[in-house]
Amino acid sequence: DELCFEFGLELDEITSEREIISKEQGDSKASDASDVILYKIDVPANRYDLLCLEGLVRGLQVFKNKLEAPRYRRLSPDSGESQRLIITKETAAVRPHAVAAVLRNITFTQERYDSFIELQEKLHQNICRSRSLVAIGTHDLDTISGPFTYTAKAPGDICFRPLNQTKEYTATQLMSLYKTDSHLRHYLPIIEDKPVYPVIYDSNDIVLSMPPIINGDHSKISLKTKNVFIECTATDLTKAKIVLDMIVTMFSEYCAQPFTVEQAEVVYPDGKTCIYPELAYRKEKLSGEFINKKVGIRESTERIAQLLTRMCLLSQPTGVGDEIEVEIPPTRPDVIHACDIMEDAAIAYGFNNITRTTPHTYTVANQFPLNKLTELLRQDLAAAGFTEALNFALCSQEDIADKLGKKISETRAIHISNPKTAEFQVARTTLLPGLLKTIAANRKMPLPLKLFEISDVVLKDESKDSTFFPGRCAEIFVRGTSVGRLGVLHPDVIGRFELTMPCSALEMDLEPFL
Amino acid sequence: MADTGVVETFLQRIEKVDGGADSQEVAASLGVDHQVIVGAVKSLQTLGDVISAELRSSKHWELTEEGTEIAEQGSHEARVFNSIPLEGLPQAELMKLSFGKIGFSKAMSNKWIRVDKSHDGGPRIFRTVESIHDQVREKLLLAKRGDAARLDEKEKNELKKRKLLAEVTVKSYWITKGNSFSTTVTKQETELTPEMIASGSWKEKKFKPYNFEAMGVAPDCGHLHPLMKVRTQFRQIFLEMGFSEMPTNNFIESSFWNFDSLFQPQQHPARDQHDTFFLSDPSLAHHFPMDYLERVKKVHSEGGYGSQGYKYDWKMEEAQKNILRTHTTAVSARMLYKLAQQEKFTPVKYFSIDRVFRNETLDATHLAEFHQIEGVVADYGLTLGDLMGVLHQFFTKLGITKLRFKPAYNPYTEPSMEVFSYHEGLKKWVEVGNSGVFRPEMLLPMGLPEDVSVIAWGLSLERPTMIKYGINNIRELVGHKVNLQMVYDSPICRLDS
């Protein structure tokens, strides 16, 4: 718990498989389940390197000085020729980018395999924004042969046997087939309405995958797989590169040559080629003073370099004054500015070890005039015997129009485009419906009920009154300006809020009084 | 007050008794209804310690109406027997008698009579024995006399089943003399009146003691809403610390100020339909400081100011989308931009407490609308240690002195810290707020000097209110379904105790 707190992780729950099943299905079903302790840990949303057990453990061990951060290397293939992924121009219409890499001589166990699949899913949900920005495909290289072609074709022209199916389907058929699949149906809209769907073939026309929906069954990975071909197709190239780097850095640990990745070549429609994965190590120089000043500590340059190295940011004093050269590894795409480095130094130092100080900022405070006036009026309204209500700013169209005897087009209301229910259709243009609904919900309270509310309403711009009983209402003028209205509510209005007693109301705009 | 005559007679009776007396007995001996005695007891009780009355209940058996009838006239079966002459009686005729039906089956089972079905003129009933013993009547007579105890349980239950006997609970009081016992009843005054003061007659009068068990009448008054009371206190705390209030009277904000100016990328999940309320009308905002907007666009898509940027295609249409603000940090951004336009930079401390909107799943502690409290300090050379110091000062005013800080992530602050305080009751650390130092990618495009740091923190208003006022479901605090009684009853808000 302490370690998680220090590092910035949240230890959500300590449980076991048995406990989980017990809670969900009852003790009897749990009797065969594992008692192994499970830790549920929440990681920060921008740390993709902590999304799998391999990365998390690696990060914590370096943090605790138990391990040196590994160096990830991209190698060219022993045999000379890299695997090639050729992108055709048709993809531009639907999913233009792709990157690829190879994990050579890898050894999977059941656990490693599960972790591998799980990381892909987590990345899909997180940085890939539910596969809309990037989709990952991993394949058993020994079942396919390059060069691979990434193209886009009309749905009727794509036909293959998808993962875990026994027969072949066209893409059109797959769209219907997966409509009822609880997992895959969410991804169908990404390509459904496009004229062409993305698809990757090998040199023998075997379909590797139809991103972002499903991989082919032919090239699926098993525990026996030794060589993995990874492809990421995307609408955002930067993210595709990050995702690829993440997968290979995390799992290259299990290759015969640990932490090495075999390169792959991607050929663009215009003939340009790119080698992936990038696995870039970026260098940044900053001063020890910068860190000390921003954090509020006084550490030596060497010490700071050590702190950063513990965060997987390998650092060395350069010898020029208090300058430090920091190397940002490919596992840390979240570090984009010196301030990210500074935060890591502070984490390694320990937030709770920093001496707290008081800034000597001298300021004279001012109240916002509208709020100042509101506070004074609230007090006096309560002293006058009224009770304060607190109502929602969002309500239904009916509340501010029909029920008040108006047409919605007459109100100056703003409309919400994605309301989950009718209660979120518009923002209130008047405080009246809220008060009347409060009274209606408190019918059983003894009379008289005297309520008030002083709060914001939302008006679009420009606007007269079927809300009041004829002959029993008035507009309020102050120095020639209309500031509001008061009167006895029309019986129809009273009825629409399910009330029975006569009601008088007053509503005024405060802003002219400032 | 009960009839003084009865009361005095009653008191005299009690005086004569050693020990105590049962109210039922007293009622019987005085020849009055028990309720009259109960009334006397109750009015004596209001005078103080004149008598002490202990409520007792006893059960005894009483005859029902039907039971009384049988006790007088004999059981149905006995009457059947007695109505059959030596030559017998046609069954049809017997059934015409009021006690016929019930009495017939009972008499048959007692074997007191028999039926000759084949007799001329229809079935005829004859006596089988010479005489009978009406046991049922005897038992009922016993009970009537008050000797029900002589019957065993089985007999009593049998009669109870036949609805002839019923068990009745009788409440009575056991009366004994109290400490201030007297046989005279003096009238007690309830109020001190102006006449008594003027005439001095109060000196001779006895005054009825207050009943502290009774609720008083609540005075007619107005009430402030508890959430707003807490808001007032927080406002006070900020003003005491020298923080100026930001103008937050705009629920609608453009995505540009709410997200983009805060360096929150356009693909960030918080900008989803699922989390944010977008407007359909008016859907887009059009007025922006264009040169600033260009700098924001650049830092997102290409980087700059020492940053790599996010390297994606920044779209104008996305920034123009109008939304209901998801945080008041949007206002802080506007204020900081305004500050940066000044000729010369001056340090500032700002705060705001106002409503924000999230389109998330609702549950017991989450609503679509809630209030955010935010504090901002902008000055040269502020450090993370300074942020901790300000937080410590702020939370001390809430009575919270033990704080711990945990690294966290916000798109617009780096470093970011979650603030935890130790809850004595739960015996664990609970999160009380979020804080951080704004990123240079946010501040530098605005034009703020490079060595100016801006620290900020925030928390929700609803959470401390719910804790302070012991409310578990946020719907009981905010909205029209709130029970007004809760508002009437909510005590003053003292945050530091």
Side-chain angles (χ1 to χ4, degrees):
Chain A
D1 193 40
E2 266 300 318
L3 175 62
C4 285
F5 195 87
E6 244 186 274
F7 196 62
L9 305 171
E10 192 174 325
L11 182 57
D12 211 16
E13 208 188 328
I14 302 179
T15 181
S16 68
E17 196 182 284
R18 180 183 293 218
E19 258 185 59
I20 298 175
I21 298 182
S22 221
K23 254 189 249 183
E24 288 172 9
Q25 297 173 34
D27 288 338
S28 48
K29 294 235 159 70
S31 52
D32 288 328
S34 152
D35 256 339
V36 171
I37 309 277
L38 296 173
Y39 294 87
K40 281 195 184 170
I41 300 181
D42 275 351
V43 309
N46 63 337
R47 292 297 296 270
Y48 315 118
D49 60 315
L50 302 175
L51 279 179
C52 63
L53 191 61
E54 285 80 1
L56 183 60
V57 169
R58 221 177 281 167
L60 286 172
Q61 286 187 316
V62 175
F63 183 64
K64 289 308 249 181
N65 271 324
K66 294 209 173 131
L67 188 69
E68 252 182 51
R71 282 206 88 68
Y72 308 99
R73 289 180 302 145
R74 182 180 74 195
L75 302 177
S76 41
D78 289 337
S79 60
E81 274 281 326
S82 321
Q83 295 296 335
R84 286 165 88 219
L85 177 65
I86 302 161
I87 308 180
T88 71
K89 62 183 189 323
E90 286 80 9
T91 60
V94 58
R95 204 170 180 86
H97 306 287
V99 296
V102 174
L103 286 173
R104 208 31 100 180
N105 292 320
I106 194 169
T107 309
F108 279 113
T109 62
Q110 187 63 55
E111 275 167 2
R112 294 176 187 179
Y113 176 82
D114 290 340
S115 188
F116 190 57
I117 303 295
E118 224 188 290
L119 176 63
Q120 289 176 55
E121 262 320 294
K122 292 213 176 108
L123 288 171
H124 273 152
Q125 287 313 309
N126 190 335
I127 181 178
C128 304
R129 295 306 311 283
S130 292
R131 301 192 192 178
S132 59
L133 297 181
V134 186
I136 308 162
T138 52
H139 311 275
D140 188 330
L141 188 53
D142 299 326
T143 63
I144 46 181
S145 58
F148 305 100
T149 309
Y150 172 45
T151 184
K153 279 185 169 176
D157 296 338
I158 302 172
C159 190
F160 68 105
R161 185 161 58 95
L163 192 62
N164 295 330
Q165 296 291 342
T166 46
K167 65 180 194 118
E168 289 197 351
Y169 291 87
T170 64
T172 329
Q173 290 170 329
L174 287 176
M175 286 292 135
S176 326
L177 180 69
Y178 290 137
K179 272 245 181 325
T180 49
D181 185 302
S182 59
H183 179 49
L184 295 175
R185 65 190 168 105
H186 303 289
Y187 308 122
L188 300 179
I190 302 172
I191 55 170
E192 206 167 19
D193 296 326
K194 304 269 193 249
V196 288
Y197 292 178
V199 59
I200 303 180
Y201 293 99
D202 82 340
S203 58
N204 298 322
D205 279 335
I206 296 177
V207 170
L208 268 68
S209 63
M210 185 177 73
I213 312 295
I214 191 91
N215 287 353
D217 193 77
H218 181 99
S219 54
K220 72 172 179 238
I221 304 209
S222 70
L223 290 185
K224 299 205 203 72
T225 304
K226 297 307 290 172
N227 300 297
V228 181
F229 178 68
I230 307 169
E231 38 86 1
C232 300
T233 55
T235 51
D236 183 323
L237 183 59
T238 312
K239 297 211 162 50
K241 293 196 249 184
I242 294 173
V243 167
L244 185 65
D245 279 355
M246 263 331 123
I247 301 178
V248 301
T249 50
M250 292 299 118
F251 287 93
S252 53
E253 184 180 347
Y254 304 129
C255 293
Q257 272 188 290
F259 305 116
T260 63
V261 186
E262 186 180 295
Q263 74 189 40
E265 201 178 273
V266 172
V267 185
Y268 288 95
D270 60 358
K272 226 176 64 183
T273 61
C274 254
I275 308 281
Y276 291 108
E278 281 198 350
L279 284 186
Y281 279 83
R282 189 167 66 84
K283 287 199 160 62
E284 242 192 77
K285 288 203 178 108
L286 40 74
S287 70
E289 197 207 337
F290 167 76
I291 305 271
N292 283 329
K293 256 182 60 177
K294 290 290 182 187
V295 179
I297 51 176
R298 279 146 77 173
E299 293 293 298
S300 68
T301 316
E302 290 77 27
R303 213 12 218 139
I304 294 177
Q306 281 168 7
L307 290 175
L308 291 172
T309 306
R310 273 176 62 205
M311 302 302 290
C312 291
L313 300 173
L314 186 60
S315 304
Q316 294 275 8
T318 59
V320 180
D322 66 345
E323 198 185 50
I324 304 173
E325 190 180 71
V326 182
E327 190 187 63
I328 300 149
T331 46
R332 296 298 304 273
D334 60 296
V335 176
I336 56 177
H337 189 283
C339 66
D340 297 298
I341 300 174
M342 180 260 293
E343 182 187 56
D344 270 15
I347 295 175
Y349 185 85
F351 276 8
N352 295 295
N353 296 330
I354 301 173
T355 321
R356 62 163 193 258
T357 50
T358 315
H360 299 296
T361 317
Y362 174 76
T363 50
V364 169
N366 287 311
Q367 298 184 52
F368 180 47
L370 182 62
N371 288 359
K372 188 171 176 180
L373 179 59
T374 303
E375 287 291 296
L376 293 171
L377 284 174
R378 282 178 63 231
Q379 296 294 328
D380 279 352
L381 270 170
F386 286 79
T387 297
E388 190 172 23
L390 218 205
N391 291 301
F392 295 124
L394 296 178
C395 57
S396 67
Q397 273 191 44
E398 264 195 346
D399 282 336
I400 57 165
D402 313 64
K403 286 190 186 170
L404 293 177
K406 285 193 174 63
K407 290 210 198 56
I408 187 71
S409 48
E410 291 170 1
T411 66
R412 285 155 58 185
I414 62 104
H415 293 256
I416 305 295
S417 70
N418 48 335
K420 283 199 174 112
T421 70
E423 291 303 304
F424 301 111
Q425 286 171 328
V426 294
R428 67 188 175 195
T429 52
T430 137
L431 296 173
L432 201 45
L435 288 178
L436 293 173
K437 280 157 88 165
T438 306
I439 297 182
N442 282 277
R443 260 180 277 253
K444 302 229 168 74
M445 296 294 290
L447 296 178
L449 278 174
K450 294 155 71 173
L451 299 185
F452 81 92
E453 186 172 7
I454 308 184
S455 185
D456 290 346
V457 297
V458 182
L459 293 165
K460 220 172 80 170
D461 210 64
E462 243 310 342
S463 185
K464 244 139 209 117
D465 243 327
S466 28
T467 306
F468 291 97
F469 197 56
R472 290 278 183 278
C473 76
E475 204 171 358
I476 307 165
F477 284 87
V478 176
R479 295 191 208 110
T481 321
S482 168
V483 296
R485 24 171 220 166
L486 62 86
V488 175
L489 293 179
H490 196 284
D492 292 346
V493 172
I494 293 174
R496 288 188 201 112
F497 281 95
E498 295 164 41
L499 301 172
T500 52
M501 306 292 287
C503 247
S504 18
L506 170 127
E507 187 170 24
M508 285 204 316
D509 185 3
L510 278 193
E511 293 182 86
F513 292 94
L514 292 172
Chain B
M1 180 82 170
D3 178 12
T4 331
V6 176
V7 174
E8 294 210 342
T9 322
F10 174 68
L11 284 171
Q12 283 158 7
R13 169 57 55 89
I14 300 296
E15 188 183 30
K16 295 197 190 108
V17 172
D18 279 332
D22 178 79
S23 56
Q24 290 276 4
E25 287 172 15
V26 173
S29 72
L30 288 180
V32 293
D33 187 72
H34 185 242
Q35 280 307 108
V36 173
I37 296 299
V38 173
V41 168
K42 293 258 179 238
S43 46
L44 283 172
Q45 282 180 320
T46 62
L47 299 179
D49 221 358
V50 181
I51 52 157
S52 85
E54 193 191 304
L55 190 59
R56 288 184 180 178
S57 63
S58 58
K59 286 193 190 174
H60 52 235
W61 295 88
E62 255 182 30
L63 269 64
T64 59
E65 219 178 279
E66 200 186 329
T68 318
E69 196 190 313
I70 291 181
E72 280 164 33
Q73 296 172 32
S75 64
H76 299 293
E77 54 272 25
R79 289 165 79 186
V80 161
F81 183 81
N82 290 330
S83 56
I84 298 177
L86 278 169
E87 64 272 20
L89 191 68
Q91 187 170 3
E93 280 205 32
L94 180 66
M95 289 305 168
K96 287 191 201 144
L97 302 167
S98 63
F99 46 82
K101 283 212 180 81
I102 306 171
F104 173 71
S105 38
K106 271 272 164 198
M108 282 295 285
S109 62
N110 288 352
K111 294 197 176 31
W112 291 349
I113 54 175
R114 65 178 171 83
V115 186
D116 185 353
K117 292 213 172 111
S118 53
H119 202 274
D120 294 334
R124 209 169 177 87
I125 305 177
F126 296 94
R127 293 186 180 187
T128 51
V129 290
E130 292 242 340
S131 63
I132 54 153
H133 195 90
D134 193 353
Q135 291 201 331
V136 173
R137 187 182 182 194
E138 275 183 20
K139 290 179 198 168
L140 287 174
L141 284 171
L142 268 180
K144 190 167 180 205
R145 274 201 337 247
D147 272 337
R150 290 234 232 135
L151 302 167
D152 67 42
E153 278 308 305
K154 194 159 157 245
E155 292 171 312
K156 281 192 254 191
N157 282 329
E158 232 183 80
L159 292 168
K160 188 171 166 187
K161 245 202 238 171
R162 281 183 71 174
K163 298 211 172 74
L164 304 176
L165 203 61
E167 216 175 350
V168 160
T169 310
V170 173
K171 288 205 172 80
S172 68
Y173 287 94
W174 182 253
I175 316 290
T176 48
K177 297 189 188 70
N179 290 333
S180 341
F181 183 78
S182 93
T183 51
T184 48
V185 173
T186 45
K187 181 173 179 296
Q188 293 193 323
E189 298 295 332
T190 48
E191 301 290 336
L192 179 64
T193 66
E195 292 76 26
M196 290 182 205
I197 297 175
S199 66
S201 63
W202 60 269
K203 295 177 194 147
E204 279 90 48
K205 294 199 187 274
K206 259 203 157 151
F207 289 86
K208 196 168 160 189
Y210 274 168
N211 178 3
F212 288 104
E213 303 294 314
M215 290 292 285
V217 177
D220 214 6
C221 58
H223 311 268
L224 292 172
H225 192 284
L227 188 73
M228 301 307 280
K229 288 204 268 224
V230 177
R231 180 178 185 276
T232 303
Q233 291 311 302
F234 272 105
R235 237 178 131 255
Q236 191 66 20
I237 290 172
F238 276 115
L239 292 169
E240 283 172 16
M241 288 171 73
F243 282 70
S244 286
E245 201 170 19
M246 294 189 264
T248 51
N249 53 333
N250 62 314
F251 289 168
I252 312 293
E253 188 57 272
S254 64
S255 291
F256 178 73
W257 286 108
N258 198 86
F259 295 118
D260 296 283
S261 76
L262 293 171
F263 199 56
Q264 195 157 348
Q266 292 183 335
Q267 306 137 327
H268 195 275
R271 294 176 82 151
D272 228 6
Q273 291 275 340
H274 302 300
D275 289 346
T276 305
F277 286 106
F278 286 91
L279 265 58
S280 60
D281 176 31
S283 61
L284 299 177
H286 299 284
H287 297 291
F288 302 105
M290 287 315 287
D291 46 354
Y292 170 54
L293 186 138
E294 287 299 319
R295 295 195 291 267
V296 170
K297 172 178 178 176
K298 188 148 177 284
V299 78
H300 277 242
S301 53
E302 294 168 32
Y305 306 101
S307 174
Q308 300 294 304
Y310 292 123
K311 299 215 167 25
Y312 70 99
D313 284 328
W314 190 90
K315 298 204 171 66
M316 179 68 167
E317 309 81 68
E318 197 54 46
Q320 283 181 299
K321 288 185 182 165
N322 277 334
I323 60 172
L324 282 169
R325 68 177 174 217
T326 60
H327 44 205
T328 47
T329 322
V331 181
S332 306
R334 282 183 183 266
M335 296 299 287
L336 290 169
Y337 175 74
K338 198 156 151 241
L339 177 68
Q341 307 319 301
Q342 275 175 203
E343 271 285 329
K344 190 170 175 321
F345 174 79
T346 50
V348 293
K349 286 161 126 161
Y350 294 142
F351 82 94
S352 64
I353 308 174
D354 210 331
R355 205 176 293 223
V356 297
F357 304 83
R358 303 257 170 105
N359 195 6
E360 291 169 348
T361 354
L362 311 180
D363 60 32
T365 50
H366 294 91
L367 282 174
E369 308 178 28
F370 61 101
H371 293 75
Q372 191 182 340
I373 300 170
E374 180 152 318
V376 176
V377 182
D379 201 354
Y380 292 105
L382 291 175
T383 69
L384 200 55
D386 287 327
L387 175 55
M388 292 178 182
V390 171
L391 287 167
H392 190 257
Q393 285 179 331
F394 177 77
F395 281 100
T396 300
K397 283 190 177 279
L398 297 174
I400 296 172
T401 46
K402 271 200 237 169
L403 292 179
R404 253 173 102 206
F405 302 95
K406 181 171 161 223
Y409 166 68
N410 285 323
Y412 38 88
T413 54
E414 188 85 4
S416 317
M417 305 194 299
E418 269 165 21
V419 188
F420 286 77
S421 89
Y422 192 71
H423 194 287
E424 294 294 339
L426 296 173
K427 294 255 177 294
K428 66 175 191 176
W429 290 89
V430 292
E431 191 184 333
V432 293
N434 209 320
S435 66
V437 182
F438 282 131
R439 291 190 73 106
E441 294 96 330
M442 171 185 161
L443 304 174
L444 298 177
M446 287 178 180
L448 287 166
E450 241 191 81
D451 41 355
V452 165
S453 273
V454 185
I455 58 179
W457 77 97
L459 58 153
S460 91
L461 183 63
E462 278 75 2
R463 199 148 171 270
T465 307
M466 284 167 71
I467 293 172
K468 202 75 181 170
Y469 286 88
I471 298 172
N472 290 324
N473 189 323
I474 196 171
R475 276 164 200 72
E476 291 166 27
L477 178 64
V478 183
H480 56 267
K481 294 200 175 140
V482 164
N483 185 354
L484 282 178
Q485 192 63 49
M486 183 278 293
V487 180
Y488 288 176
D489 295 340
S490 67
I492 60 170
C493 172
R494 295 172 78 180
L495 286 179
D496 54 354
S497 54

